[in-house]
Amino acid sequence: MNRAAVVLRAGPGLRLDLHDGKIFAITIDTPETPAQLLNAEASRLETIRDHT
């Protein structure tokens, strides 16, 4: 199975669908901030990859 999660309580969380097909999820208080950071980094890496 290619899934893992850290669930310590009910509430909002963050789910990552990785390139290798694995899924990782974690419950955190404000998932919006890390989601924005991860999306920005993914976009930056995609731009770099497109220009090489």
Side-chain angles (χ1 to χ4, degrees):
M1 182 167 258
N2 290 321
R3 298 179 185 182
V6 178
V7 179
L8 300 176
R9 58 174 172 65
L14 184 65
R15 174 182 160 154
L16 304 175
D17 295 304
L18 306 175
H19 287 284
D20 62 2
K22 294 179 181 178
I23 298 171
F24 178 75
I26 185 169
T27 55
I28 51 177
D29 288 331
T30 53
E32 298 83 11
T33 301
Q36 289 171 349
L37 290 170
L38 289 167
N39 286 331
E41 181 65 6
S43 179
R44 185 185 74 80
L45 291 173
E46 186 175 315
T47 300
I48 290 170
R49 189 173 46 245
D50 289 345
H51 288 93
T52 58

Short mmCIF file of all heavy atoms in Angstrom, two decimals:
data_model
loop_
_atom_site.label_atom_id
_atom_site.label_comp_id
_atom_site.label_asym_id
_atom_site.label_seq_id
_atom_site.Cartn_x
_atom_site.Cartn_y
_atom_site.Cartn_z
N MET A 1 0.85 -1.19 0.00
CA MET A 1 0.00 0.00 0.00
C MET A 1 0.89 1.24 0.00
O MET A 1 1.87 1.30 0.73
CB MET A 1 -0.91 -0.03 1.22
CG MET A 1 -1.86 1.14 1.27
SD MET A 1 -3.15 0.92 2.48
CE MET A 1 -4.46 0.47 1.41
N ASN A 2 0.55 2.21 -0.79
CA ASN A 2 1.35 3.42 -0.93
C ASN A 2 0.71 4.62 -0.26
O ASN A 2 0.70 5.72 -0.81
CB ASN A 2 1.59 3.72 -2.41
CG ASN A 2 2.51 2.71 -3.04
OD1 ASN A 2 3.47 2.29 -2.41
ND2 ASN A 2 2.23 2.33 -4.25
N ARG A 3 0.19 4.41 0.92
CA ARG A 3 -0.47 5.50 1.64
C ARG A 3 0.03 5.55 3.08
O ARG A 3 0.29 4.53 3.68
CB ARG A 3 -1.98 5.31 1.66
CG ARG A 3 -2.59 5.32 0.29
CD ARG A 3 -4.07 5.09 0.37
NE ARG A 3 -4.62 4.99 -0.97
CZ ARG A 3 -5.89 4.84 -1.23
NH1 ARG A 3 -6.75 4.75 -0.25
NH2 ARG A 3 -6.31 4.78 -2.47
N ALA A 4 0.14 6.78 3.58
CA ALA A 4 0.51 6.96 4.98
C ALA A 4 -0.21 8.20 5.50
O ALA A 4 -0.49 9.13 4.74
CB ALA A 4 2.02 7.14 5.13
N ALA A 5 -0.49 8.22 6.78
CA ALA A 5 -1.18 9.37 7.38
C ALA A 5 -0.74 9.54 8.83
O ALA A 5 -0.41 8.58 9.51
CB ALA A 5 -2.68 9.19 7.31
N VAL A 6 -0.76 10.79 9.25
CA VAL A 6 -0.57 11.14 10.65
C VAL A 6 -1.84 11.87 11.07
O VAL A 6 -2.06 13.02 10.68
CB VAL A 6 0.67 12.04 10.86
CG1 VAL A 6 0.81 12.41 12.32
CG2 VAL A 6 1.92 11.35 10.35
N VAL A 7 -2.70 11.18 11.79
CA VAL A 7 -3.98 11.76 12.21
C VAL A 7 -4.01 11.70 13.73
O VAL A 7 -4.17 10.64 14.32
CB VAL A 7 -5.17 10.98 11.60
CG1 VAL A 7 -6.49 11.59 12.07
CG2 VAL A 7 -5.07 10.97 10.08
N LEU A 8 -3.85 12.86 14.34
CA LEU A 8 -3.82 12.93 15.80
C LEU A 8 -5.13 13.43 16.37
O LEU A 8 -5.36 13.31 17.57
CB LEU A 8 -2.67 13.83 16.24
CG LEU A 8 -1.28 13.37 15.79
CD1 LEU A 8 -0.23 14.39 16.20
CD2 LEU A 8 -0.96 12.00 16.34
N ARG A 9 -5.98 14.00 15.52
CA ARG A 9 -7.26 14.53 15.98
C ARG A 9 -8.14 14.82 14.78
O ARG A 9 -7.68 14.81 13.65
CB ARG A 9 -7.04 15.81 16.76
CG ARG A 9 -6.31 16.86 15.90
CD ARG A 9 -6.21 18.19 16.60
NE ARG A 9 -5.37 19.09 15.85
CZ ARG A 9 -5.61 19.59 14.65
NH1 ARG A 9 -6.69 19.25 14.01
NH2 ARG A 9 -4.78 20.42 14.07
N ALA A 10 -9.40 15.10 15.03
CA ALA A 10 -10.31 15.50 13.96
C ALA A 10 -9.99 16.95 13.58
O ALA A 10 -9.50 17.72 14.40
CB ALA A 10 -11.75 15.39 14.44
N GLY A 11 -10.25 17.29 12.36
CA GLY A 11 -10.04 18.66 11.91
C GLY A 11 -9.40 18.72 10.55
O GLY A 11 -9.27 17.71 9.86
N PRO A 12 -8.97 19.92 10.17
CA PRO A 12 -8.40 20.10 8.83
C PRO A 12 -7.07 19.38 8.68
O PRO A 12 -6.40 19.06 9.66
CB PRO A 12 -8.22 21.61 8.72
CG PRO A 12 -8.08 22.09 10.12
CD PRO A 12 -8.94 21.16 10.94
N GLY A 13 -6.74 19.12 7.44
CA GLY A 13 -5.49 18.43 7.19
C GLY A 13 -4.94 18.77 5.82
O GLY A 13 -5.49 19.56 5.08
N LEU A 14 -3.85 18.13 5.51
CA LEU A 14 -3.15 18.33 4.25
C LEU A 14 -2.89 16.97 3.64
O LEU A 14 -2.42 16.06 4.32
CB LEU A 14 -1.82 19.05 4.51
CG LEU A 14 -0.98 19.43 3.31
CD1 LEU A 14 -1.69 20.46 2.45
CD2 LEU A 14 0.36 19.98 3.78
N ARG A 15 -3.22 16.83 2.35
CA ARG A 15 -2.98 15.58 1.63
C ARG A 15 -2.01 15.86 0.50
O ARG A 15 -2.19 16.79 -0.28
CB ARG A 15 -4.28 15.03 1.06
CG ARG A 15 -4.08 13.81 0.19
CD ARG A 15 -5.38 13.33 -0.38
NE ARG A 15 -5.14 12.48 -1.54
CZ ARG A 15 -5.97 11.54 -1.93
NH1 ARG A 15 -7.08 11.33 -1.28
NH2 ARG A 15 -5.69 10.83 -3.01
N LEU A 16 -0.97 15.04 0.41
CA LEU A 16 0.01 15.17 -0.66
C LEU A 16 -0.09 13.95 -1.57
O LEU A 16 0.02 12.81 -1.11
CB LEU A 16 1.43 15.24 -0.07
CG LEU A 16 1.69 16.35 0.94
CD1 LEU A 16 3.08 16.20 1.52
CD2 LEU A 16 1.49 17.70 0.31
N ASP A 17 -0.33 14.19 -2.84
CA ASP A 17 -0.32 13.15 -3.86
C ASP A 17 1.02 13.26 -4.57
O ASP A 17 1.25 14.19 -5.34
CB ASP A 17 -1.47 13.34 -4.85
CG ASP A 17 -2.82 13.15 -4.19
OD1 ASP A 17 -3.03 12.09 -3.59
OD2 ASP A 17 -3.65 14.07 -4.26
N LEU A 18 1.92 12.33 -4.29
CA LEU A 18 3.29 12.40 -4.77
C LEU A 18 3.43 11.84 -6.18
O LEU A 18 2.60 11.06 -6.63
CB LEU A 18 4.19 11.66 -3.78
CG LEU A 18 4.07 12.13 -2.32
CD1 LEU A 18 4.91 11.25 -1.42
CD2 LEU A 18 4.43 13.59 -2.17
N HIS A 19 4.49 12.26 -6.86
CA HIS A 19 4.74 11.83 -8.24
C HIS A 19 4.87 10.31 -8.37
O HIS A 19 4.52 9.76 -9.41
CB HIS A 19 6.01 12.49 -8.80
CG HIS A 19 5.83 13.93 -9.11
ND1 HIS A 19 5.15 14.36 -10.21
CD2 HIS A 19 6.24 15.04 -8.46
CE1 HIS A 19 5.14 15.68 -10.24
NE2 HIS A 19 5.79 16.12 -9.18
N ASP A 20 5.34 9.66 -7.34
CA ASP A 20 5.53 8.21 -7.43
C ASP A 20 4.25 7.43 -7.11
O ASP A 20 4.27 6.22 -6.99
CB ASP A 20 6.67 7.76 -6.52
CG ASP A 20 6.42 8.05 -5.05
OD1 ASP A 20 5.34 8.57 -4.70
OD2 ASP A 20 7.32 7.77 -4.24
N GLY A 21 3.13 8.14 -6.97
CA GLY A 21 1.85 7.49 -6.71
C GLY A 21 1.51 7.34 -5.24
O GLY A 21 0.41 6.93 -4.90
N LYS A 22 2.44 7.66 -4.37
CA LYS A 22 2.19 7.55 -2.95
C LYS A 22 1.34 8.73 -2.48
O LYS A 22 1.34 9.80 -3.09
CB LYS A 22 3.50 7.52 -2.17
CG LYS A 22 4.31 6.27 -2.45
CD LYS A 22 5.61 6.27 -1.68
CE LYS A 22 6.40 5.01 -2.01
NZ LYS A 22 7.69 4.99 -1.33
N ILE A 23 0.63 8.52 -1.38
CA ILE A 23 -0.21 9.55 -0.79
C ILE A 23 0.18 9.69 0.68
O ILE A 23 0.34 8.70 1.39
CB ILE A 23 -1.70 9.18 -0.90
CG1 ILE A 23 -2.12 9.09 -2.36
CG2 ILE A 23 -2.57 10.19 -0.16
CD1 ILE A 23 -3.51 8.52 -2.57
N PHE A 24 0.33 10.93 1.13
CA PHE A 24 0.64 11.22 2.53
C PHE A 24 -0.35 12.25 3.02
O PHE A 24 -0.60 13.25 2.35
CB PHE A 24 2.06 11.73 2.70
CG PHE A 24 2.39 12.08 4.12
CD1 PHE A 24 2.63 11.08 5.05
CD2 PHE A 24 2.44 13.39 4.54
CE1 PHE A 24 2.92 11.39 6.37
CE2 PHE A 24 2.73 13.71 5.86
CZ PHE A 24 2.96 12.70 6.78
N ALA A 25 -0.94 12.03 4.18
CA ALA A 25 -1.89 12.98 4.76
C ALA A 25 -1.53 13.23 6.21
O ALA A 25 -1.02 12.36 6.91
CB ALA A 25 -3.31 12.43 4.65
N ILE A 26 -1.82 14.46 6.65
CA ILE A 26 -1.55 14.85 8.03
C ILE A 26 -2.60 15.86 8.48
O ILE A 26 -3.02 16.70 7.69
CB ILE A 26 -0.12 15.42 8.19
CG1 ILE A 26 0.21 15.71 9.66
CG2 ILE A 26 0.08 16.64 7.31
CD1 ILE A 26 1.66 16.01 9.92
N THR A 27 -3.04 15.74 9.73
CA THR A 27 -3.95 16.74 10.27
C THR A 27 -3.12 17.86 10.89
O THR A 27 -2.17 17.60 11.64
CB THR A 27 -4.89 16.14 11.33
OG1 THR A 27 -4.13 15.50 12.35
CG2 THR A 27 -5.86 15.15 10.72
N ILE A 28 -3.47 19.09 10.54
CA ILE A 28 -2.79 20.27 11.09
C ILE A 28 -3.81 21.41 11.20
O ILE A 28 -4.83 21.41 10.52
CB ILE A 28 -1.59 20.71 10.22
CG1 ILE A 28 -1.99 20.86 8.77
CG2 ILE A 28 -0.45 19.74 10.34
CD1 ILE A 28 -0.87 21.35 7.87
N ASP A 29 -3.50 22.37 12.07
CA ASP A 29 -4.45 23.46 12.34
C ASP A 29 -4.75 24.32 11.12
O ASP A 29 -5.89 24.62 10.85
CB ASP A 29 -3.93 24.35 13.48
CG ASP A 29 -4.01 23.65 14.83
OD1 ASP A 29 -4.90 22.80 15.00
OD2 ASP A 29 -3.19 23.96 15.69
N THR A 30 -3.73 24.74 10.41
CA THR A 30 -3.95 25.64 9.27
C THR A 30 -3.25 25.07 8.04
O THR A 30 -2.11 25.44 7.74
CB THR A 30 -3.44 27.06 9.56
OG1 THR A 30 -2.09 26.98 9.99
CG2 THR A 30 -4.27 27.76 10.62
N PRO A 31 -3.91 24.18 7.32
CA PRO A 31 -3.26 23.55 6.17
C PRO A 31 -3.06 24.50 4.98
O PRO A 31 -2.29 24.20 4.08
CB PRO A 31 -4.22 22.41 5.81
CG PRO A 31 -5.55 22.87 6.31
CD PRO A 31 -5.25 23.66 7.55
N GLU A 32 -3.72 25.65 4.99
CA GLU A 32 -3.61 26.57 3.86
C GLU A 32 -2.19 27.08 3.65
O GLU A 32 -1.70 27.14 2.52
CB GLU A 32 -4.57 27.78 4.04
CG GLU A 32 -6.03 27.42 4.09
CD GLU A 32 -6.50 26.97 5.47
OE1 GLU A 32 -5.75 27.12 6.45
OE2 GLU A 32 -7.63 26.45 5.55
N THR A 33 -1.50 27.42 4.73
CA THR A 33 -0.14 27.97 4.62
C THR A 33 0.84 26.96 4.04
O THR A 33 1.51 27.25 3.05
CB THR A 33 0.36 28.50 5.97
OG1 THR A 33 -0.55 29.52 6.41
CG2 THR A 33 1.75 29.07 5.86
N PRO A 34 0.95 25.76 4.60
CA PRO A 34 1.88 24.80 3.98
C PRO A 34 1.43 24.40 2.57
O PRO A 34 2.27 24.15 1.70
CB PRO A 34 1.90 23.61 4.92
CG PRO A 34 0.79 23.81 5.87
CD PRO A 34 0.42 25.25 5.85
N ALA A 35 0.12 24.36 2.30
CA ALA A 35 -0.35 24.03 0.95
C ALA A 35 0.12 25.09 -0.05
O ALA A 35 0.58 24.76 -1.14
CB ALA A 35 -1.87 23.91 0.93
N GLN A 36 0.03 26.36 0.34
CA GLN A 36 0.49 27.45 -0.54
C GLN A 36 1.98 27.35 -0.79
O GLN A 36 2.45 27.52 -1.92
CB GLN A 36 0.15 28.81 0.07
CG GLN A 36 -1.33 29.13 0.04
CD GLN A 36 -1.66 30.38 0.83
OE1 GLN A 36 -0.83 30.91 1.57
NE2 GLN A 36 -2.89 30.85 0.69
N LEU A 37 2.74 27.06 0.25
CA LEU A 37 4.20 26.93 0.10
C LEU A 37 4.57 25.75 -0.80
O LEU A 37 5.43 25.88 -1.68
CB LEU A 37 4.86 26.78 1.47
CG LEU A 37 4.84 28.01 2.36
CD1 LEU A 37 5.30 27.64 3.78
CD2 LEU A 37 5.72 29.09 1.79
N LEU A 38 3.93 24.62 -0.59
CA LEU A 38 4.22 23.45 -1.41
C LEU A 38 3.81 23.67 -2.87
O LEU A 38 4.54 23.28 -3.79
CB LEU A 38 3.53 22.22 -0.84
CG LEU A 38 4.11 21.70 0.47
CD1 LEU A 38 3.17 20.68 1.10
CD2 LEU A 38 5.48 21.09 0.24
N ASN A 39 2.67 24.30 -3.09
CA ASN A 39 2.24 24.58 -4.46
C ASN A 39 3.17 25.56 -5.15
O ASN A 39 3.48 25.41 -6.33
CB ASN A 39 0.80 25.11 -4.47
CG ASN A 39 -0.21 24.02 -4.21
OD1 ASN A 39 0.02 22.86 -4.54
ND2 ASN A 39 -1.33 24.39 -3.63
N ALA A 40 3.64 26.57 -4.42
CA ALA A 40 4.59 27.53 -4.99
C ALA A 40 5.90 26.84 -5.36
O ALA A 40 6.47 27.11 -6.42
CB ALA A 40 4.85 28.68 -4.00
N GLU A 41 6.39 25.96 -4.51
CA GLU A 41 7.64 25.25 -4.79
C GLU A 41 7.46 24.31 -5.99
O GLU A 41 8.34 24.22 -6.85
CB GLU A 41 8.10 24.47 -3.56
CG GLU A 41 9.38 23.71 -3.75
CD GLU A 41 10.61 24.58 -4.01
OE1 GLU A 41 10.52 25.82 -3.94
OE2 GLU A 41 11.67 24.01 -4.30
N ALA A 42 6.33 23.63 -6.06
CA ALA A 42 6.07 22.74 -7.19
C ALA A 42 6.03 23.54 -8.49
O ALA A 42 6.57 23.11 -9.51
CB ALA A 42 4.76 21.99 -6.98
N SER A 43 5.41 24.70 -8.46
CA SER A 43 5.35 25.56 -9.63
C SER A 43 6.74 26.04 -10.03
O SER A 43 7.09 26.06 -11.21
CB SER A 43 4.43 26.74 -9.36
OG SER A 43 4.37 27.59 -10.46
N ARG A 44 7.54 26.43 -9.04
CA ARG A 44 8.90 26.90 -9.30
C ARG A 44 9.73 25.79 -9.94
O ARG A 44 10.44 26.01 -10.93
CB ARG A 44 9.56 27.36 -8.00
CG ARG A 44 10.94 27.98 -8.18
CD ARG A 44 11.58 28.29 -6.84
NE ARG A 44 12.04 27.10 -6.16
CZ ARG A 44 13.19 26.46 -6.42
NH1 ARG A 44 13.98 26.90 -7.39
NH2 ARG A 44 13.53 25.40 -5.76
N LEU A 45 9.63 24.58 -9.40
CA LEU A 45 10.39 23.46 -9.95
C LEU A 45 9.94 23.10 -11.37
O LEU A 45 10.74 22.77 -12.22
CB LEU A 45 10.28 22.24 -9.03
CG LEU A 45 10.98 22.37 -7.68
CD1 LEU A 45 10.65 21.19 -6.80
CD2 LEU A 45 12.47 22.55 -7.85
N GLU A 46 8.65 23.21 -11.63
CA GLU A 46 8.12 22.94 -12.96
C GLU A 46 8.66 23.97 -13.95
O GLU A 46 9.02 23.63 -15.07
CB GLU A 46 6.60 22.96 -12.94
CG GLU A 46 5.98 22.57 -14.25
CD GLU A 46 4.46 22.48 -14.14
OE1 GLU A 46 3.98 21.91 -13.16
OE2 GLU A 46 3.79 22.98 -15.05
N THR A 47 8.72 25.23 -13.54
CA THR A 47 9.25 26.29 -14.40
C THR A 47 10.72 26.04 -14.70
O THR A 47 11.16 26.16 -15.85
CB THR A 47 9.09 27.66 -13.72
OG1 THR A 47 7.69 27.89 -13.49
CG2 THR A 47 9.65 28.78 -14.58
N ILE A 48 11.48 25.65 -13.70
CA ILE A 48 12.91 25.35 -13.89
C ILE A 48 13.06 24.18 -14.86
O ILE A 48 13.87 24.21 -15.78
CB ILE A 48 13.60 25.06 -12.55
CG1 ILE A 48 13.70 26.33 -11.72
CG2 ILE A 48 14.97 24.44 -12.76
CD1 ILE A 48 14.15 26.10 -10.31
N ARG A 49 12.27 23.13 -14.66
CA ARG A 49 12.34 21.95 -15.51
C ARG A 49 11.98 22.30 -16.96
O ARG A 49 12.57 21.78 -17.89
CB ARG A 49 11.40 20.87 -14.96
CG ARG A 49 11.55 19.54 -15.64
CD ARG A 49 10.74 18.42 -14.98
NE ARG A 49 9.38 18.79 -14.68
CZ ARG A 49 8.87 18.87 -13.45
NH1 ARG A 49 9.63 18.60 -12.41
NH2 ARG A 49 7.61 19.19 -13.25
N ASP A 50 11.01 23.20 -17.16
CA ASP A 50 10.60 23.59 -18.51
C ASP A 50 11.66 24.40 -19.23
O ASP A 50 11.67 24.46 -20.46
CB ASP A 50 9.29 24.39 -18.45
CG ASP A 50 8.10 23.54 -18.09
OD1 ASP A 50 8.21 22.29 -18.14
OD2 ASP A 50 7.05 24.11 -17.73
N HIS A 51 12.57 25.02 -18.49
CA HIS A 51 13.59 25.88 -19.09
C HIS A 51 14.97 25.21 -19.18
O HIS A 51 15.96 25.87 -19.46
CB HIS A 51 13.69 27.20 -18.32
CG HIS A 51 12.52 28.08 -18.55
ND1 HIS A 51 11.43 28.08 -17.71
CD2 HIS A 51 12.24 28.96 -19.53
CE1 HIS A 51 10.53 28.93 -18.15
NE2 HIS A 51 10.99 29.49 -19.27
N THR A 52 15.03 23.92 -18.92
CA THR A 52 16.32 23.23 -19.03
C THR A 52 16.32 22.27 -20.19
O THR A 52 15.36 21.93 -20.76
CB THR A 52 16.65 22.45 -17.75
OG1 THR A 52 15.62 21.52 -17.47
CG2 THR A 52 16.85 23.38 -16.59
#
